[in-house]
Amino acid sequence: MEFEDDAFVLAARSHGDTGAVVDLLTAQHGRRMTYVPGGASRKMKPHLQPGSRVRVAWRARDDSQLGSARLEPSGDDVSQLFDSAVALAGLSAAAAVVQGALPEREAEPGVFAAMEALMLALTDDAVWPAVFIRFELGLLGSLGFGLDLESCAVSGSQDDLAWVSPRTGRAVSRTAGAPYADKLLALPPFLLGSQAAVVEGDVGHGLALTGHFLEAWVFHPRDKPLPPARDWMIERLKRSGLL
């Protein structure tokens, strides 16, 4: 078994004296853990940071094995984000969420494309937090847990949607949800259409929304907490006034 594909590095750890076990999100072959000979070398280490874009050539006796891979840097590396600690925190959080949420060896081209879009947005701190929230919503959808934000779960109306049920993931209108506001999750208007602006408080509400469903529907059933890297990103956003 062998393939070549584009990939993002999600995580890497040293293995033996010179190698590394690397967790990859590939474009067409899903999430893959593989052994990279020479991965612990000075030459390779900079390219094994979370979010690094690489070209992978993978080989194994059969598809169930860890296999080994040759990695080549591809496109811009994460050094373009070194001037923004908050953007690096966002990149680390995205990689950790994908690593924890996706099963291995299931093709997820939509998640790979969303990761590409997020990488492009990370160069602008005023933009990427909202893109990150859409990224997490897309990840939920790819895993079969998409939220229904089209109409009110109570009235069927498509107008003035302001809340989301924490139990069902369905939108609720402002009027229908008013008596239960303390039990509902806020729905930022920018998630309802591309024309809506992101205003103060939207990023915090959006991350609370996606975080709730990632925890309840993806991580908790696997007996996992949300990745600490995501909590650290939120703290960084708060310190930077971007939350």
Side-chain angles (χ1 to χ4, degrees):
M1 297 291 298
E2 59 184 74
F3 66 77
E4 291 192 17
D5 205 349
D6 294 315
F8 286 107
V9 173
L10 300 177
R13 67 177 189 272
S14 297
H15 186 82
D17 293 333
T18 61
V21 173
V22 183
D23 204 338
L24 300 168
L25 172 64
T26 68
Q28 301 298 328
H29 297 83
R31 183 176 150 248
R32 295 269 175 163
M33 291 190 68
T34 187
Y35 176 72
V36 178
S41 68
R42 288 185 179 182
K43 179 181 178 181
M44 281 301 301
K45 274 188 174 181
H47 305 297
L48 297 184
Q49 302 303 309
S52 295
R53 179 75 176 261
V54 296
R55 182 72 181 173
V56 54
W58 179 86
R59 177 176 294 182
R61 291 182 180 177
D62 64 66
D63 196 51
S64 65
Q65 290 187 321
L66 182 69
S68 64
R70 184 181 72 255
L71 304 183
E72 295 289 342
S74 174
D76 295 330
D77 60 28
V78 297
S79 63
Q80 62 180 321
L81 304 177
F82 282 175
D83 291 335
S84 174
V86 69
L88 284 173
L91 180 56
S92 295
V97 169
V98 170
Q99 182 187 27
L102 287 186
E104 286 193 73
R105 293 177 166 81
E106 293 187 14
E108 293 286 357
V111 177
F112 184 86
M115 191 76 171
E116 285 185 310
L118 178 61
M119 284 293 296
L120 291 174
L122 281 167
T123 56
D124 189 339
D125 288 344
V127 171
W128 75 257
V131 177
F132 186 97
I133 294 164
R134 290 186 179 277
F135 168 80
E136 290 193 325
L137 278 179
L139 178 61
L140 282 164
S142 293
L143 292 169
F145 301 116
L147 306 190
D148 183 353
L149 307 181
E150 296 299 318
S151 61
C152 176
V154 178
S155 66
S157 171
Q158 296 180 329
D159 299 325
D160 202 22
L161 302 177
W163 317 98
V164 176
S165 166
R167 184 177 63 86
T168 65
R170 294 192 63 188
V172 180
S173 70
R174 191 177 308 277
T175 301
Y180 317 100
D182 60 333
K183 298 180 180 179
L184 299 173
L185 297 165
L187 175 58
F190 80 89
L191 293 179
L192 297 173
S194 58
Q195 303 304 314
V198 180
V199 300
E200 185 176 355
D202 278 359
V203 170
H205 289 150
L207 288 171
L209 179 69
T210 54
H212 171 83
F213 291 107
L214 281 168
E215 182 173 33
W217 290 350
V218 179
F219 284 85
H220 181 71
R222 301 179 186 184
D223 199 26
K224 294 180 179 180
L226 283 173
R230 190 180 187 275
D231 295 332
W232 179 238
M233 175 196 70
I234 291 173
E235 182 60 30
R236 282 281 190 179
L237 287 169
K238 189 182 299 183
R239 291 182 189 177
S240 302
L242 297 170
L243 200 57

